[in-house]
């Protein structure tokens, strides 16, 4: 029963466009009403009608320790008692910066912001300032937040220069964004040949925003080579994969070292934090050290830093954690795959650490075009049937799922059992 959520959604829509503060939450691609959440407990969400769901969304990634983790909460509460914001330096910022520099080989210095969107927007400005060039290359299906120059879609015909994907974005602002195909190095080579000067290539090294689609090692190696050849910077957007695919993010899977890295989600432990970092000579271009302007009234907010610091330290202090999480995620997708097979439903599955993905698709998925061939109607039926049974999966086929530490093997077995019933009916 979702009676109260139905009412709450109606009321919200009167005052908030679409009733939500971020579009994916409205459940448009699966239909139905989004449950309004009252609280979270470990691996579970409880909605305002008192339904209980096993949560594979975990706030879209940040909550690797599940909801209301005691250590993170304590750290937030203790810090909040000293004041919510000062607009002046605190020790917490340096402490969190040190933890990140210690983990990422490619990061000598880091700056904190308030969201992943802001981290990417700033990193791109820095890359442009550092190289003195305007064009950037991004990949279809990779998401880097909602800043103007990144809201692009493929243009018509052979052109690789992007068109705005949203009204309100002037074509002039996407004119410098070239679009390439994920895992396809020739498409990147064409961008370099067409452009008069590329500042950077940005990608999710483990793409999580078209479903879960990891980059191939050879593709990353070739990207590094092309960037070096043309003097462009390589940016890994690890807002999702950082501290999620592994403690050190994509570094655990590839030998390729980027020039800049963007972080978010887990780094805030559930509070709004983003960050970008890289080699010292590049980072020193940022104001006040250098000429590239970047700022934020609430950047490095002490309460947010305290949450992030507690989360990162907890991750670091438990060396077996990603092995355990990957075991859970693997058991889940293996179970889903078997359930699908026994119902003759084609399903593609993928795991990276605590991240998992599945496509209702006959063929393996290596890029956005492949992903789009998935059966979204079947996914919608799967989603709503699982939700009725108390399993909360992301409400779109093109999202990544997440496991968290409070999940137990029994929770996964229970989910697989439910999937077995549902696969037969969709
Ligand atoms: C979530 C995400 C962003 C945007 O972060 P916000 O905090 O939502 O602004 C950027 N890049 C990637 C890879 C993401 O997954």
């Amino acid at each position: 029963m979702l009676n109260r959520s139905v009412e709450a959604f109606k009321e919200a829509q009167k005052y908030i466009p679409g009733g939500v503060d971020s579009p994916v939450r409205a459940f448009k691609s699966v239909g139905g009403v989004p449950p309004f959440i009252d609280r979270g407990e470990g691996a579970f969400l409880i909605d305002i009608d008192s339904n209980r769901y096993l949560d594979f969304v975990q706030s879209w990634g940040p909550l690797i320790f599940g909801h209301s983790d005691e250590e993170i909460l304590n750290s937030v509460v203790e810090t909040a008692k000293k004041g919510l914001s000062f607009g002046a330096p605190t020790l917490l910022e340096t402490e969190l910066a040190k933890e990140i520099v210690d983990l990422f080989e490619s990061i000598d210095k880091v700056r904190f912001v308030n969201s992943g969107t802001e981290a990417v927007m700033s990193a791109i400005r820095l890359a442009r300032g550092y190289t003195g060039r305007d064009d950037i290359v991004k990949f279809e299906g990779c998401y880097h937040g909602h800043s103007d120059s990144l809201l692009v879609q493929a243009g018509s015909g052979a052109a690789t220069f992007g068109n705005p994907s949203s009204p309100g974005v002037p074509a002039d602002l996407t004119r410098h964004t070239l679009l390439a195909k994920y895992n396809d190095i020739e498409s990147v080579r064409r961008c370099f040949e067409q452009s008069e000067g590329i500042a950077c290539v940005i990608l999710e090294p483990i793409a999580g925003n078209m479903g879960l689609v990891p980059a191939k090692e050879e593709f990353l190696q070739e990207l590094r080579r092309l960037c070096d050849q043309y003097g462009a910077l390589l940016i890994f957007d690890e807002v999702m994969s950082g501290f999620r695919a592994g403690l050190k993010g994509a570094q655990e899977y590839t030998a390729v070292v980027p020039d800049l890295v963007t972080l978010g989600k887990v780094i805030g432990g559930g509070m709004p934090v983003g960050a970008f970092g890289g080699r010292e000579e590049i980072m020193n271009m940022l104001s006040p050290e250098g000429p590239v302007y970047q700022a934020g009234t609430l950047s490095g907010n002490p309460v947010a830093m305290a949450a992030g610091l507690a989360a990162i330290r907890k991750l670091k202090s438990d060396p077996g954690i990603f092995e355990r999480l990957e075991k859970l995620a693997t058991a889940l997708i293996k179970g889903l795959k078997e359930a699908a097979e026994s119902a003759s439903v084609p399903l593609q599955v993928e795991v990276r650490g605590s991240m998992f993905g599945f496509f209702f698709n006959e063929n393996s998925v290596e890029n956005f075009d492949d992903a789009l061939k998935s059966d979204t109607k079947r996914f919608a039926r799967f989603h709503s049937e699982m939700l009725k049974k108390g399993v909360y999966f992301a409400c779109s086929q093109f999202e990544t799922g997440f496991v968290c530490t409070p999940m137990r093997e029994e929770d996964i077995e229970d989910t697989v059992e439910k999937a077995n019933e549902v696969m037969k009916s969709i």
Side-chain angles (χ1 to χ4, degrees):
M1 291 287 271
L2 286 172
N3 295 347
R4 289 181 145 195
S5 282
V6 170
E7 283 310 310
F9 196 38
K10 270 192 208 144
E11 187 74 358
Q13 282 169 304
K14 285 189 211 159
Y15 301 102
I16 300 170
V20 292
D21 283 311
S22 194
V24 71
R25 296 179 198 168
F27 272 42
K28 270 200 151 171
S29 56
V30 289
V33 165
F36 274 53
I37 305 306
D38 177 55
R39 63 188 190 280
E41 289 173 4
F44 292 88
L45 276 178
I46 295 103
D47 71 12
I48 57 175
D49 288 286
S50 300
N51 297 304
R52 205 175 153 82
Y53 308 95
L54 183 62
D55 180 13
F56 289 107
V57 179
Q58 294 296 330
S59 191
W60 303 95
L63 307 181
I64 197 161
F65 296 104
H67 298 278
S68 331
D69 176 78
E70 206 180 315
E71 284 169 64
I72 298 175
L73 277 186
N74 284 342
S75 168
V76 164
V77 170
E78 285 313 307
T79 307
K81 283 181 184 162
K82 299 208 274 180
L84 294 178
S85 174
F86 310 113
T90 61
L91 296 174
L92 289 165
E93 295 160 74
T94 313
E95 284 182 53
L96 185 53
K98 273 185 178 166
E99 297 290 354
I100 291 161
V101 167
D102 173 50
L103 285 172
F104 285 78
E105 190 197 332
S106 49
I107 300 182
D108 299 327
K109 286 189 176 179
V110 60
R111 177 157 287 175
F112 294 110
V113 292
N114 305 291
S115 69
T117 295
E118 221 187 311
V120 172
M121 185 183 81
S122 308
I124 285 178
R125 182 180 305 144
L126 179 58
R128 284 172 162 159
Y130 179 79
T131 57
R133 300 172 180 177
D134 291 337
D135 288 352
I136 63 173
V137 176
K138 89 170 275 287
F139 294 88
E140 289 175 88
C142 282
Y143 178 68
H144 305 292
H146 67 93
S147 68
D148 283 338
S149 63
L150 291 162
L151 290 183
V152 292
Q153 60 192 0
S156 54
T160 50
F161 286 85
N163 292 337
S165 61
S166 164
V169 177
D172 274 349
L173 294 186
T174 54
R175 200 160 57 85
H176 291 292
T177 309
L178 288 84
L179 269 181
K181 197 169 178 174
Y182 202 69
N183 277 321
D184 177 349
I185 198 66
E186 283 313 312
S187 70
V188 186
R189 210 183 301 280
R190 279 197 295 277
C191 291
F192 274 100
E193 283 161 7
Q194 287 185 15
S195 169
E196 284 170 11
I198 287 176
C200 63
V201 174
I202 183 165
L203 85 161
E204 297 177 73
I206 298 167
N209 287 289
M210 52 174 141
L212 181 58
V213 184
K216 298 207 158 81
E217 177 63 11
E218 200 192 318
F219 173 66
L220 292 175
Q221 302 263 2
E222 291 285 335
L223 270 185
R224 182 71 270 181
R225 224 167 285 147
L226 269 178
C227 285
D228 290 344
Q229 182 189 334
Y230 284 91
L233 300 186
L234 180 60
I235 304 179
F236 278 4
D237 182 355
E238 295 222 65
V239 169
M240 187 188 288
S241 56
F243 318 104
R244 259 294 175 192
L247 180 60
K248 302 178 177 188
Q251 270 179 134
E252 312 252 13
Y253 299 84
T254 174
V256 172
V257 179
D259 299 294
L260 289 171
V261 179
T262 53
L263 297 165
K265 299 195 169 115
V266 174
I267 208 188
M271 298 289 286
V273 180
F276 61 104
R279 278 206 312 279
E280 186 163 10
E281 48 160 342
I282 305 172
M283 293 303 288
N284 284 350
M285 291 286 288
L286 273 181
S287 58
E289 189 113 6
V292 177
Y293 190 68
Q294 192 277 332
T297 300
L298 290 171
S299 292
N301 174 269
V303 183
M305 293 288 105
L309 199 54
I312 302 306
R313 287 197 171 146
K314 224 169 128 90
L315 281 176
K316 277 175 107 170
S317 67
D318 183 352
I321 193 168
F322 279 96
E323 208 173 301
R324 289 203 306 281
L325 288 167
E326 182 156 303
K327 217 171 133 204
L328 284 177
T330 305
L332 175 67
I333 56 132
K334 207 165 152 259
L336 292 181
K337 177 92 181 158
E338 282 164 12
E341 266 166 11
S342 69
S344 302
V345 170
L347 194 76
Q348 305 295 324
V349 297
E350 190 68 82
V351 172
R352 284 293 181 280
S354 64
M355 303 162 69
F356 68 86
F358 54 93
F359 292 102
F360 288 97
N361 197 317
E362 315 227 345
N363 302 109
S364 69
V365 175
E366 291 182 4
N367 57 46
F368 194 46
D369 288 343
D370 295 345
L372 287 180
K373 288 178 191 135
S374 305
D375 187 341
T376 50
K377 292 209 177 85
R378 185 171 251 161
F379 176 84
R381 291 193 293 271
F382 176 77
H383 181 271
S384 75
E385 289 307 310
M386 291 301 284
L387 193 70
K388 281 184 207 151
K389 292 180 185 292
V391 181
Y392 192 89
F393 280 118
C395 51
S396 158
Q397 175 119 200
F398 308 112
E399 299 287 352
T400 291
F402 302 99
V403 294
C404 60
T405 56
M407 276 177 191
R408 302 158 309 159
E409 277 170 37
E410 300 92 272
D411 297 323
I412 302 293
E413 284 161 18
D414 179 58
T415 303
V416 169
E417 224 167 86
K418 289 168 175 165
N420 257 303
E421 294 163 31
V422 169
M423 287 288 185
K424 291 190 181 82
S425 69
I426 56 164

